[in-house]
Amino acid sequence: MTVFGLLLPAAVLALLIYVRICHQNIGRTTALFPWKQEFFDRRFQEILRAFLSGNNYAVNPLRSISGIRRRLDRNFEPFYRGFAYEGAGMGLGARASLFGPWKGKKFESYLQELDPGHIYQYFVGLGWWLHARYGFRTNAYKTWARKIDASYAPILFDGVGFKTGLFEYKQNPYCIDMFNVFNQHEQRVCYQGFGRSLWFQNRFEIGPVLAEIDRLPEPFRGDALSGAGLAVAYSMFDNLAVILNAYRLVPDGGKAAFAQGMAFGWETRRLQDREHWHAVLDRLTVPMQLKIEGWVEVVHQARKDVDAGQPESHYVRWIDRTRHLLQNQLMEGEN
């Protein structure tokens, strides 16, 4: 038998093992949560199914990127499609890992080919993959960060924080202490992801979310509030009453951070699907449309303000600048 004849079966076996390991068992994962016939359960179950399905579509290296996009767009209505693309980011992270030293470039080429409008979700999904693969082994994250766009790389830590919160925190509240292995900027984004997870952990109830955040280390409470605001605005994009009620219950000292997260969530919705964005906004009153669009414009202005700095700190500087500008608006009576 030739060398090629020996290598081919081994390569096929390795590929089958890879797909099996990276494929998500949707039934087993959703069974981790005690579902009831309530609004939260129906919505979160659909969100989780969309995310896991997106991973399973994308992780198969034999499936074309155009084929993945057709499946995502065909199988998920606009409201849930972003969650599926986030899952695809997880799958593409695993898939790109097959390319060794070129994995970062391969990952980014996948994103551009699939749909660059979901850029933020892809990096969150990458964080899920890296945490599943490496846990808190920092060198692996550093290797990836050096191979992808430094401006977006910190967003992967949102995925680390969210996954840690959603699957580990209830059983072990001390698990978030592991965020300390990362640097200050990375920890902040971990806590943003953790804050997002609290919205889902607490079944879309803002009161328990705020109580949990009050128990966090003080330097990271604002970032957790930001994550909660992002989750509220994104997951309730079609239900403004829930968003406004959550915002009203946030203490005044935390409103700017929460508002910044809301604005980031809305900007993510706008960027990924302009048609769906306008369809939802068109159902609102004109003053409310103007307010939401105004906050999104603050996000754009803040990004312009910080673009000239170091790429590695770009994301946290963007967060802080957005909060600052929104805080000024709130102090002027915009809330």
Side-chain angles (χ1 to χ4, degrees), residues 130 136-146 148 150 152-162 164 176 178-194 220 223-224 311-317 319:
L130 294 179
F136 292 98
R137 300 202 295 275
T138 56
N139 285 340
Y141 295 90
K142 291 177 182 177
T143 299
W144 265 93
R146 287 194 296 267
I148 54 180
Y152 292 109
I155 300 174
L156 70 84
F157 292 97
D158 182 293
V160 173
F162 186 91
T164 301
I176 60 175
M178 291 301 298
F179 297 161
N180 294 335
V181 303
F182 301 119
N183 68 38
Q184 183 78 4
H185 288 167
E186 293 162 354
Q187 287 182 62
R188 289 188 58 187
V189 187
C190 281
Y191 275 100
Q192 174 181 282
F194 176 71
F220 301 111
D223 298 304
E312 293 78 7
S313 63
H314 176 272
Y315 187 64
V316 292
R317 288 186 292 108
I319 287 171

Side-chain angles (χ1 to χ4, degrees), residues 22-313:
C22 299
H23 189 275
Q24 297 295 306
N25 187 313
I26 297 175
R28 185 181 302 163
T29 303
T30 55
L32 296 173
F33 301 90
W35 306 111
K36 301 177 182 178
Q37 294 302 314
E38 299 176 359
F39 171 76
F40 161 80
D41 300 279
R42 293 193 301 272
R43 173 154 293 191
F44 182 44
Q45 192 169 28
E46 286 302 313
I47 288 170
L48 193 55
R49 287 184 181 279
F51 177 86
L52 297 172
S53 297
N55 171 81
N56 291 347
Y57 295 162
V59 78
N60 187 343
L62 301 180
R63 182 171 289 134
S64 70
I65 300 300
S66 60
I68 295 169
R69 179 166 184 169
R70 284 194 299 272
R71 282 189 172 220
L72 293 172
D73 291 348
R74 180 179 68 240
N75 294 348
F76 299 99
E77 60 182 273
F79 180 85
Y80 292 103
R81 197 171 292 150
F83 300 103
Y85 272 89
E86 184 176 313
M90 180 181 177
L92 292 177
R95 182 168 168 167
S97 297
L98 298 172
F99 290 84
W102 303 278
K103 56 193 173 188
K105 288 188 179 299
K106 194 64 178 177
F107 178 73
E108 292 187 321
S109 71
Y110 285 150
L111 314 189
Q112 294 302 315
E113 186 179 353
L114 184 57
D115 184 348
H118 296 270
I119 187 72
Y120 305 120
Q121 285 102 319
Y122 296 138
F123 282 87
V124 172
L126 175 61
W128 274 68
W129 159 245
L130 294 179
H131 185 256
R133 177 68 178 81
Y134 299 109
F136 292 98
R137 300 202 295 275
T138 56
N139 285 340
Y141 295 90
K142 291 177 182 177
T143 299
W144 265 93
R146 287 194 296 267
K147 297 177 182 298
I148 54 180
D149 189 322
S151 297
Y152 292 109
I155 300 174
L156 70 84
F157 292 97
D158 182 293
V160 173
F162 186 91
K163 184 174 181 294
T164 301
L166 190 63
F167 292 106
E168 301 176 38
Y169 183 68
K170 289 297 184 183
Q171 292 75 32
N172 175 22
Y174 298 102
C175 66
I176 60 175
D177 292 345
M178 291 301 298
F179 297 161
N180 294 335
V181 303
F182 301 119
N183 68 38
Q184 183 78 4
H185 288 167
E186 293 162 354
Q187 287 182 62
R188 289 188 58 187
V189 187
C190 281
Y191 275 100
Q192 174 181 282
F194 176 71
R196 281 201 308 120
S197 80
L198 289 176
W199 177 243
F200 295 96
Q201 291 178 53
N202 290 284
R203 308 174 67 84
F204 297 169
E205 294 288 341
I206 193 62
V209 172
L210 298 176
E212 292 275 11
I213 290 174
D214 279 345
R215 290 192 283 269
L216 296 178
E218 194 280 331
F220 301 111
R221 290 175 192 166
D223 298 304
L225 277 170
S226 167
L230 200 163
V232 171
Y234 191 90
S235 69
M236 290 293 157
F237 180 52
D238 60 342
N239 196 329
L240 186 64
V242 172
I243 298 173
L244 295 180
N245 182 65
Y247 175 72
R248 281 194 293 267
L249 293 174
V250 175
D252 289 346
K255 271 188 162 51
F258 195 83
Q260 171 259 310
M262 290 169 60
F264 271 37
W266 281 328
E267 165 60 4
T268 303
R269 281 285 187 184
R270 185 198 67 84
L271 183 64
Q272 70 186 27
D273 191 332
R274 304 296 176 88
E275 184 177 346
H276 183 55
W277 166 262
H278 288 297
V280 173
L281 258 62
D282 285 347
R283 300 200 296 265
L284 306 178
T285 65
V286 171
M288 187 53 64
Q289 291 180 36
L290 294 175
K291 187 175 187 65
I292 291 173
E293 290 172 341
W295 280 19
V296 169
E297 183 54 39
V298 169
V299 173
H300 298 168
Q301 181 58 54
R303 183 164 193 173
K304 292 177 184 176
D305 292 346
V306 303
D307 267 350
Q310 289 293 321
E312 293 78 7
S313 63

